[in-house]
């Protein structure tokens, strides 16, 4: 497309770097508005178009990379603005100015980490994809999914493109049952790519005012129609999965209770908070038992003691007396360190334990502690050192194997998939979520909604200050709590043993896309240099 490239080059000269940077930042901000608190999820299907056009244009490489960086800052910075809510931390003995510095450092660090992913994608597109057409689209989608997959292996993972659709677009989220959340990411990138390619062809035609090729006009219409058809087709596939009936046998029913204790972080680890926790969770447990529940779930760190101390509380005595199982959030001892854990307590004592696998960077441990430890200090008044649990844990209960999810682990689908594949029949999600704006617990609820759909499991969510909830295997929220309130709720869920394609095979789509991208790239090279094999 020589005419398009020439015109785009002139457009770049006319607009200049500031205009391209502003466009990239603005479109990234639009993507950030897809999640709580705005939740304009539909913007995700167009917000990547400007970035694709900028990266695919013949603009200088530095312009492309800066545009990608600014887009990433706009998206991740807006979506993760709730991180600044860790301030104020004076209750932990952190001075006011230091508290602001830590909050800004956390926000900036995780925003830039996400922006690096987008910039890496732009680098890959610049290096591996120069030509337009299906090859560039396939390479772009494969690169984005591959980078997100690598990103999910690290300590910072929350803002996958897939979560922009949760919890509202449940139809498209059902694609996650095929190959996990990256299936949704691939769908979003592919539709945006087709719309972007159509726009570029449109600008190269007489309609756009840059050229006069009737072929470009028709090509633009075809590509745009392809994007629309793909969007509709993907939603029809999701709609089919969404409307499959749930087979729920009466013998699999389980009546569970949830206690949202509402103990602010400012007092949680001090005498007043400890007294409120023991009283509130004990009374809540007894009330739910009177309502006929078979088990009670409490939030992460509901009783913020070492387990040996929990055994001396009135809550422990109540469980031993009433005989109704309780899942208790508390601290587990591990040598000189401690774990953030969920314990299954029955009338006979401790039944099982699950330790939190994914710890929150800076909040629960300090990455590169030898370098950053002296600057940041630990954001916990506990003197012991928190350590993660093993990634291959299972969580057995008197009602069968459960899928345990503790707070931050909700963002890591592979942790949930592993437990579902190992026989987990329902999800127990325990979180704290205190000390943040309502957008954080809303996004957390969105993460658990995705995990429920992907594994086709009921999810029971207990949080300290909200939002607690009940989510069915189709992602429908049957009940959700208010925020910053003490609440009790009882609901009947159903244990399930079915396995989705994703649970059985994992993320098979990303390797397939990467493989196809390599094939298309090799074919592109062969076509470009047909005589190279003749020797």
């Amino acid at each position: 497309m020589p005419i398009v490239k020439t015109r785009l080059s002139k457009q770049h000269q006319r607009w200049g770097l500031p205009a391209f940077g502003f466009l990239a930042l603005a479109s990234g901000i639009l993507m950030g508005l897809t999640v709580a608190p705005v939740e304009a999820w539909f913007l995700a299907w167009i917000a990547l178009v400007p970035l694709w056009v900028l990266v695919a244009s013949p603009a200088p490489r530095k312009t492309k990379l800066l545009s990608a960086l600014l887009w990433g800052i706009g998206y991740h910075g807006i979506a993760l603005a709730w991180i600044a809510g860790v301030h104020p931390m004076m209750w932990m003995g952190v001075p006011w100015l230091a508290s602001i510095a830590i909050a800004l450092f956390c926000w900036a660090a995780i925003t830039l980490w996400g922006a690096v992913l987008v910039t890496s994608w732009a680098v890959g597109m610049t290096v591996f994809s120069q030509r337009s057409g299906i090859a560039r689209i396939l390479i772009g989608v494969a690169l984005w999914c591959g980078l997100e997959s690598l990103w999910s292996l690290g300590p910072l993972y929350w803002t996958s493109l897939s979560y922009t659709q949760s919890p509202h677009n449940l139809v498209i989220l059902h694609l996650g049952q095929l190959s996990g959340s990256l299936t949704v990411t691939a769908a979003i990138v592919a539709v945006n790519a087709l719309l972007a390619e159509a726009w570029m062809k449109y600008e190269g035609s007489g309609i756009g005012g840059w050229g006069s090729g009737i072929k470009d006009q028709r090509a633009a219409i075809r590509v745009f129609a392809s994007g629309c058809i793909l969007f509709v087709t993907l939603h029809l596939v999701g709609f089919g999965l969404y409307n499959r009936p749930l087979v729920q046998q009466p013998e699999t029913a389980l009546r569970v209770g949830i206690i949202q204790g509402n103990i602010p972080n400012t007092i949680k680890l001090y005498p007043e908070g400890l007294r409120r926790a023991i009283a509130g969770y004990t009374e809540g447990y007894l009330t739910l038992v009177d309502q006929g529940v078979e088990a009670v779930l409490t939030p992460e760190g509901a009783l913020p003691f070492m387990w040996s101390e929990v055994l001396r509380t009135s809550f422990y005595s109540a469980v031993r007396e009433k005989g109704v199982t309780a899942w208790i959030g508390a601290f587990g001892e591990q040598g000189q360190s401690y774990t953030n854990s969920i314990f299954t307590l029955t009338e006979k004592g401790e039944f099982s334990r699950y330790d939190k696998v994914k710890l929150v960077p800076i909040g629960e441990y300090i990455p590169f502690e030898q370098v950053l430890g002296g600057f940041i200090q630990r954001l916990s008044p506990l003197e012991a050192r928190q350590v993660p649990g093993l990634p291959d844990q299972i969580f057995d209960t008197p009602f069968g194997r459960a899928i345990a999810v503790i707070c931050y682990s909700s963002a890591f689908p592979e942790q949930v998939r592993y437990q579902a594949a190992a026989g987990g029949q329902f999800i127990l999600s325990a979180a704290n979520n205190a000390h943040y704006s309502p957008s954080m617990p809303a996004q957390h609820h969105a993460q658990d909604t995705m995990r429920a759909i992907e594994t086709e499991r009921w999810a029971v969510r207990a949080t300290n200050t909200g939002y607690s909830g009940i989510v069915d295997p189709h992602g429908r929220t049957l009940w959700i709590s208010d925020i910053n309130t003490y609440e009790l709720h009882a609901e009947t869920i159903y244990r399930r043993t079915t396995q989705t394609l994703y649970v059985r095979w994992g993320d098979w789509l990303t390797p397939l896309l990467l493989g196809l991208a390599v094939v298309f790239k090799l074919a592109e090279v062969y076509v470009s240099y047909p005589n190279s094999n003749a020797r």
Side-chain angles (χ1 to χ4, degrees):
M1 298 176 58
I3 295 178
V4 177
K5 289 185 177 180
T6 301
R7 298 296 182 178
L8 280 171
S9 297
K10 291 181 178 180
Q11 188 77 348
H12 173 264
Q13 294 173 3
R14 184 165 62 251
W15 285 9
L17 182 59
F20 277 91
F22 175 79
L23 177 62
L25 180 63
S27 59
I29 290 174
L30 286 180
M31 186 66 82
L33 297 178
T34 58
V35 297
V38 179
E39 298 183 322
W41 59 269
F42 47 86
L43 291 176
W45 299 96
I46 59 172
L48 194 60
V49 170
L51 177 63
W52 187 283
V53 172
L54 291 171
V55 172
S57 74
R61 180 172 295 186
K62 67 176 183 180
T63 301
K64 298 180 181 183
L65 300 188
L66 181 59
S67 297
L69 181 68
L70 290 173
W71 190 95
I73 290 173
Y75 170 45
H76 297 283
I78 294 297
L80 297 171
W82 52 263
I83 290 176
V86 298
H87 172 77
M89 292 179 284
M90 285 79 79
W91 60 276
M92 298 176 65
V94 179
W96 191 83
L97 287 177
S99 176
I100 290 181
I102 292 173
L104 292 178
F105 175 84
C106 294
W107 187 12
I110 196 168
T111 296
L112 289 175
W113 182 252
V116 166
L117 177 135
V118 183
T119 307
S120 300
W121 174 80
V123 170
M125 286 287 285
T126 303
V127 172
F128 298 112
S129 180
Q130 289 80 35
R131 294 191 174 189
S132 62
I134 187 64
R136 181 159 66 193
I137 294 173
L138 181 58
I139 291 173
V141 174
L143 280 174
W144 196 292
C145 291
L147 287 168
E148 269 204 16
S149 181
L150 289 175
W151 193 29
S152 69
L153 301 177
L156 295 174
Y157 187 66
W158 186 269
T159 43
S160 166
L161 288 186
S162 57
Y163 100 124
T164 63
Q165 302 302 290
S166 187
H168 300 291
N169 192 358
L170 298 181
V171 167
I172 205 68
L173 290 179
H174 275 70
L175 297 182
Q177 293 185 350
L178 304 178
S179 185
S181 60
L182 289 183
T183 315
V184 181
T185 293
I188 293 171
V189 178
V191 170
N192 274 273
L194 285 166
L195 297 180
E197 293 288 335
W199 186 87
M200 287 187 287
K201 290 182 182 297
Y202 171 85
E203 289 296 300
S205 70
I207 299 175
W210 284 5
S212 58
I214 191 67
K215 290 184 178 180
D216 285 335
Q217 297 177 15
R218 292 174 177 172
I221 295 173
R222 286 197 302 269
V223 176
F224 178 78
S226 298
C228 296
I229 291 171
L230 179 62
F231 176 83
V232 173
T233 301
L234 292 171
H235 279 77
L236 287 175
V237 173
F239 184 75
L241 295 171
Y242 176 74
N243 280 282
R244 289 191 306 170
L246 296 175
V247 179
Q248 298 175 153
Q249 302 296 336
E251 61 270 19
T252 66
L254 177 63
R255 186 76 172 168
V256 296
I258 297 171
I259 306 176
Q260 181 172 292
N262 193 36
I263 312 296
N265 274 3
T266 53
I267 64 171
K268 184 175 182 179
L269 299 177
Y270 298 99
E272 179 186 355
L274 299 178
R275 287 193 296 269
R276 280 181 55 177
I278 294 173
Y281 286 106
T282 302
E283 293 171 7
Y285 172 82
L286 294 172
T287 299
L288 289 168
V289 169
D290 289 341
Q291 294 178 10
V293 301
E294 299 170 78
V296 174
L297 177 64
T298 69
E300 171 192 26
L303 298 181
F305 308 97
M306 293 299 178
W307 183 244
S308 57
E309 298 176 20
V310 173
L311 301 182
R312 297 193 291 269
T313 64
S314 59
F315 188 97
Y316 177 81
S317 300
V319 175
R320 295 296 301 271
E321 177 185 349
K322 296 295 183 179
V324 173
T325 297
W327 292 295
I328 305 172
F331 300 130
E333 299 176 12
Q334 188 164 311
Q336 299 299 313
S337 303
Y338 74 98
T339 59
N340 191 339
S341 307
I342 297 178
F343 295 86
T344 302
L345 181 61
T346 70
E347 60 182 348
K348 297 181 180 179
E350 179 186 340
F351 184 90
S352 60
R353 163 182 168 179
Y354 186 91
D355 301 328
K356 185 176 183 178
V357 176
K358 290 293 184 179
L359 304 184
V360 179
I362 301 178
E364 294 176 316
Y365 79 100
I366 300 178
F368 313 110
E369 188 169 359
Q370 292 182 345
V371 178
L372 300 177
F375 171 70
I376 300 175
Q377 300 181 1
R378 191 173 306 281
L379 301 187
S380 171
L382 295 176
E383 296 179 358
R385 176 174 173 267
Q386 186 168 337
V387 293
L390 298 175
D392 58 350
Q393 297 173 81
I394 56 175
F395 191 49
D396 289 320
T397 77
F399 314 100
R401 186 162 294 172
I403 300 170
V405 181
I406 304 179
C407 195
Y408 186 44
S409 296
S410 294
F412 296 85
E414 182 59 27
Q415 290 291 320
V416 180
R417 188 200 74 83
Y418 170 82
Q419 294 184 71
Q425 301 175 34
F426 53 97
I427 297 173
L428 297 175
S429 178
N432 185 2
N433 290 352
H435 210 63
Y436 292 107
S437 66
S439 60
M440 187 276 175
Q443 290 185 23
H444 199 169
H445 180 79
Q447 297 281 6
D448 277 340
T449 297
M450 295 170 65
R451 306 293 86 85
I453 294 172
E454 292 158 4
T455 59
E456 209 173 44
R457 295 292 187 269
W458 286 80
V460 184
R461 305 190 65 249
T463 69
N464 178 15
T465 54
Y467 297 106
S468 303
I470 299 287
V471 181
D472 78 1
H474 281 315
R476 294 173 295 215
T477 300
L478 303 187
W479 171 79
I480 191 167
S481 71
D482 289 328
I483 199 162
N484 296 324
T485 57
Y486 178 86
E487 295 200 32
L488 305 176
H489 183 76
E491 189 83 35
T492 298
I493 66 169
Y494 294 85
R495 292 162 286 178
R496 298 177 61 82
T497 57
T498 58
Q499 292 193 341
T500 63
L501 191 62
Y502 169 62
V503 170
R504 293 197 300 269
W505 290 5
D507 175 23
W508 53 268
L509 180 62
T510 298
L512 176 62
L513 290 172
L514 290 169
L516 290 174
V518 170
V519 171
F520 270 80
K521 183 60 182 178
L522 291 176
E524 183 181 84
V525 171
Y526 179 80
V527 171
S528 300
Y529 304 99
N531 297 325
S532 62
N533 295 327
R535 299 188 185 95

